[in-house]
Amino acid sequence: MNLTHLRVLEAVARHGSVTEAAKELHYSQPSVSHHLGRLEAATGARLVRRAGRGIRLTPEGELLAQRAREIIGRVDAASVELAAQVGLRAGRVRVAGFQTILSTIVPEAAAALSASYPGIELNLVDVHPVEGLRMLRAGHVDIALVFRHADTPDEEEGFRLTHLLDDPLHLISREPDQRLEDHRDSAWVGGCERCRAAMVTACERAGFSPRIAYSSDDLVLAQSLVAAGMGVAALPGLALQAHRTPSIHATEIAGSARQIFAVTYGEPPDPPATSALLEILEAVAQRGRGTVPPYAARH
């Protein structure tokens, strides 16, 4: 007996037809009959018999077909496990992410990936989430790390989202325990139009439109301007974990959290290296959930 003969018998047993088994296995009908004949010769038992225009398995054939399913299942499972191990020893995973997650969650995850799977090559690129999703769809990366606000439109079909954490927005000022309403007349530091949207929305909920005097996506510059008394800003928690100017204060803005996801594309399963990094990212993010940057207050 060999595995090819057993696969033929198992396919014939499921379909009850040499013709259908041949289609599934991409064999000719004579080839299927030849394999059945070789299997009967090897076992010394009659395994099939004709029944009208089709065939049926004999009791001996049914017994062997049942065992064939078990054997094939175990061999296929072993093949998948072996491929996964090979992939984890010599795989590659490419990640597109935005600045604050690349400087906080990702380094710890990268270190854990390297320690557990030293053969996996990790490539990182710093891009805005919109560009990250575009790269993911085009096949240039395997994972896109993105953030979404409550009013963000759903991603297109084909994207699969793994929630990592919620990242609340913080009011950044020189005085502790400040509220948005306290700065309706202050100068504000805002990022690009896409990045400042959450800040503008939070201020509008508080009853005013912020006067944006300085425009920069540089989180160090934004905090430096606040520390110098030039205005106030609103930054997410991950930005404060990435860099914290000692002389500023951070107050969480209620209801402002953005959700951060690791996104993959296409039908599962993901390649072994991609799955390994996803699991590690989830674990690292879970440990960091709820972490409030130093000197931050909640309101």
Side-chain angles (χ1 to χ4, degrees), residues 105 165 241 283-292:
I105 301 295
L165 71 155
Q241 293 180 31
V284 172
Q286 182 65 46
R287 289 197 294 270
R289 283 179 184 172
T291 299
V292 179

Side-chain angles (χ1 to χ4, degrees), residues 103-151:
S103 55
T104 52
I105 301 295
V106 170
E108 183 179 345
L113 181 72
S114 179
S116 298
Y117 311 105
I120 294 181
E121 176 186 351
L122 177 63
N123 301 135
L124 303 174
V125 58
D126 179 4
V127 294
H128 188 275
V130 173
E131 178 60 23
L133 291 175
R134 189 177 298 119
M135 294 177 69
L136 179 63
R137 187 186 302 108
H140 299 314
V141 296
D142 305 297
I143 299 174
L145 300 173
V146 306
F147 58 80
R148 299 178 76 253
H149 296 284
D151 57 352

